[in-house]
Amino acid sequence: MKMKDLCKEERPREKMLASGSKAMSNGELIAILLRTGYKGESALDLAQRLLSENNGKLARLTDIPVSKLCSFKGMGQNKAASLMAAFELGRRFMAECTIDSNAVITGSRPAYEMLLPHFKGLDHEECWIVFLDSANRVISRDMMSSGGSNSTVIDNKMIIKMALEKHASGLILAHNHPFGSSRPGKADIRQTQALKEVAGAFDISLLDHIVISQDGYYSFADEENYFL
C-alpha cells in the first residue's frame, strides 16, 4: 500500500502534525525520515521491515554500521544518511542531557551511564577521559582518540597534560569494544596499569577504567584487586 492510499489521519507526517511526535510509533517516525518506500511498499512498510529485521529494537538499529544500513534492501545512501543523522542527533542530545558541571561520580554505574551516549552505535573504538576534581565532581569529559574496530591509541602523556591544565585530581578512562565482550584483554590491563602509575607520579588518581560493549560494561574499580 502506498502512503497516499492511507487516510489522512494515518499518514505519518499528517498524524505527527495533528497529534504530536509522542503519539507516533517507532515505525511511523522512521517512515518520516525515509520519505519514500521501495517497489510497492510504502515508507511505513519499509520502516516496519527495517525494525522487524532488528527484533523491533531501536538500539539494535542504531548499532548497524552505515555500510550495512546502506545495503539494506530499499534503503540506499540517501535514506541511510537520514537515519544516521537522526541517530547521531539523538546521541548528542543524550550526551548534553547527561552533562552536569556539578555531577559527582560515586561509582562505576553513574560513570557508565554518563559515557554510554558517546559510545552507542559506534563501529570503531574510541578512548575517552572523564576529568574530576578532588570531590569527584566532573570537570569535563573528552575524547582522546578514535581508532579501528579492535584498537585505539591511548596517549598517557596527552592525558596527563590535559589533567594538569584542568587541575584535575582524578581520572576515569573509558573505551569501547564495539563487537566483542566488555571483558578487558591483556593490552587493556597493561594500559590501565601504565596510566595508573604515570598519573600517580603527578598525584592524580586513576579512579577507574570502564570498558563498554553492546552488552554492558566492565569496571576495573569494581574488581577488588584493582587498587592493590
Side-chain angles (χ1 to χ4, degrees):
M1 179 181 292
K2 295 181 179 180
M3 202 73 75
K4 65 181 181 180
D5 294 328
L6 296 172
C7 66
K8 188 174 181 181
E9 292 76 14
E10 293 178 334
R11 297 172 192 169
R13 285 186 180 81
E14 285 80 356
K15 181 178 177 180
M16 187 171 73
L17 291 173
S19 304
S21 58
K22 291 184 179 180
M24 307 289 286
S25 68
N26 289 341
E28 289 170 331
L29 291 171
I30 292 173
I32 291 175
L33 294 169
L34 297 179
R35 298 177 63 86
T36 60
Y38 174 76
K39 289 187 178 180
E41 64 178 0
S42 68
L44 184 56
D45 294 331
L46 176 56
Q48 297 289 13
R49 180 162 57 85
L50 188 62
L51 281 169
S52 178
E53 294 197 16
N54 288 280
N55 292 338
K57 302 293 186 180
L58 287 175
R60 286 192 58 173
L61 189 56
T62 60
D63 284 340
I64 298 177
V66 64
S67 58
K68 185 176 180 180
L69 190 59
C70 286
S71 65
F72 185 85
K73 186 178 179 181
M75 286 294 295
Q77 293 184 346
N78 290 337
K79 291 175 182 176
S82 294
L83 283 186
M84 295 302 293
F87 297 155
E88 181 59 27
L89 284 171
R91 277 190 287 267
R92 295 184 186 188
F93 171 76
M94 288 302 298
E96 285 185 5
C97 288
T98 58
I99 292 175
D100 182 351
S101 59
N102 294 315
V104 177
I105 301 300
T106 57
S108 63
R109 172 58 63 171
Y112 163 72
E113 292 176 350
M114 179 180 65
L115 289 161
L116 182 59
H118 297 294
F119 293 107
K120 193 65 180 173
L122 294 182
D123 60 359
H124 60 277
E125 286 198 10
E126 290 186 358
C127 167
W128 284 71
I129 294 287
V130 181
F131 296 93
L132 306 166
D133 67 13
S134 58
N136 286 353
R137 287 189 297 262
V138 175
I139 297 172
S140 72
R141 48 187 166 173
D142 301 88
M143 186 179 75
M144 305 303 299
S145 65
S146 178
S149 61
N150 57 12
S151 66
T152 190
V153 175
I154 299 177
D155 188 335
N156 290 344
K157 291 182 179 179
M158 180 58 67
I159 292 171
I160 297 304
K161 179 176 181 293
M162 291 181 66
L164 293 172
E165 290 173 348
K166 296 173 182 288
H167 304 289
S169 297
L171 307 171
I172 295 175
L173 169 65
H175 83 283
N176 62 316
H177 289 170
F179 302 114
S181 165
S182 59
R183 195 78 187 176
K186 292 181 179 179
D188 296 330
I189 296 171
R190 288 195 300 269
Q191 180 61 58
T192 304
Q193 188 60 43
L195 180 56
K196 183 180 178 183
E197 291 176 359
V198 172
F202 290 87
D203 200 25
I204 299 171
S205 299
L206 178 60
L207 300 175
D208 204 349
H209 180 183
I210 295 175
V211 185
I212 296 174
S213 71
Q214 295 181 5
D215 300 325
Y217 74 98
Y218 178 95
S219 163
F220 278 76
D222 289 348
E223 298 300 310
E224 62 182 38
N225 293 327
Y226 175 66
F227 292 106
L228 295 181

